[in-house]
Amino acid sequence: MPAELSATLAEFAAEAAYEKLPLPAVEGAKKSLLDTLGVILAASGTEPAAAAAVDVVRDTGGRPQATVLGHGFQAPAVMAAFANGAMAHCLNFDDQTPWGQHSGTSIVPAALAVVERQGGISGKDLITAVAVGQDLFTRLRRHVGWRQDWNLSSVIGVLAATATAGRLLNLPSDRLAHAFSFGAIQSGGFMDMVSGPGSELGGMYAGFSAKGGVLAALLAQRGAKGTETLFEGANGFFATYFGGSYDREKILENLGGEYYGAVTLYKPWAAVGTAHSHIHATLQVMAQHGLSSDDIQEVRVHAGDCHEGLCAPLEARRAPATLMDARFSLPFLVAMAAVHGDLKTRDLTQEALKDRRVLDFARKVVVVPDPALDWKDELPSGRIEVVTRDGRILQQSGEHTPGSVTRPLTWNDITGKFADCAALAAVPPSPEQIAAAQRTAADLETADDAAELVRSLTRSPYGN
């Protein structure tokens, strides 16, 4: 009889080594580290939804073990992971797999918290641990019977964060298998919390999965025991969340040979990933036909099942009440792109929610149900039809969107994004500190202490 899946995945995570990583997996881990670090910094200064998480961590106090990024103070590692995780996703600017969902917002805050707490963890070990978490996350995300009910980013993210934290703590495979149990007991998240208007849950949830991963690994390190039938038991993880629907063979296929973090995608715009192709289509049709927003009478947004929640209730989506809602509001995002000719992070502010030009244009956006765009595997490309005031009907597909599989962001794109994001931090790092972090991330495999990635942003560039 084969070993329970938790034991097999724990053995993989515990025995992973930098020397065995394919180069694309190394690059994927480094990109996610720098990208997530930048997004956290931007959120610290621009998104009020994360302020409560940071304030709670600040007020709780405790041993200063890890940095709450963008705010210049330290907290216990578990709580620093919580604050940084909450900031990592609240802009919806974080990485995603080609099949949707976000791993970096759970993995990276957990990893950085452990690295700072422990000290002396090499850059190679940090890269390896992140690559392991990315791979485990994607294997589970792709091969469970998801019905768009549970929020996979948090249900699975906590397990990926546990694998990453456990690998950094050098847990042996039997201890890591127990850690998965303590991670899984913190799994949770329903899809309405992601896109339901008026809520801040959709931004903050990654704080819980990042925190949960660190906590799970620390409990296992101290000898706490979990269940030996976590994933495949009659009342285990797969039975509970997915009605027992999963593909064991696919989850384990080429485990340790192919690392799925290599195909992680990075966002050019701070908005839900399912809206990006519609944003791109809007920008394309405007540029190609030399249109201004005043030239347009109507925009017909074709919507599959994964877009419907971004369009309903329509009036609320046309005039979102909060920045969190705005990033999940397809009519508003299309209007922002049409009016401004781009969708820059610094433009999506509280004042933007009251921009009469954008609000008026959003009322021109109508939704056309389109089952051809239903989400079956990879995220589908959106499609729009623009009706101009002079009677033309212009169709545009959102294929080859920046940040997609066919047009991924390069390392230079991500370093540029990092610099833009870091400048928006509550306590902005200097240009010299930003450049130092970029260099450290690029050469992370040479670092004797991976905490240098965080220190480069907080240490004075003049050495005092």
Side-chain angles (χ1 to χ4, degrees), residues 209-255:
S209 47
K211 169 179 173 283
V214 177
L215 180 59
L218 290 174
L219 286 168
Q221 186 186 47
R222 284 158 175 74
K225 295 181 179 180
T227 175
E228 295 182 355
T229 55
L230 169 65
F231 284 114
E232 300 178 283
N235 298 303
F237 182 82
F238 292 136
T240 298
Y241 288 100
F242 309 108
S245 176
Y246 69 102
D247 190 328
R248 188 182 209 277
E249 184 176 334
K250 286 289 187 181
I251 291 171
L252 296 178
E253 186 175 63
N254 202 15
L255 183 67

Side-chain angles (χ1 to χ4, degrees), residues 298-330:
E298 184 176 81
V299 179
R300 300 167 184 164
V301 172
H302 286 248
D305 57 2
C306 58
H307 308 116
E308 290 170 355
L310 312 181
C311 301
L314 183 57
E315 290 308 308
R317 294 304 187 187
R318 284 172 168 165
T322 67
L323 287 175
M324 196 71 64
D325 286 352
R327 296 188 182 96
F328 282 96
S329 299
L330 189 51

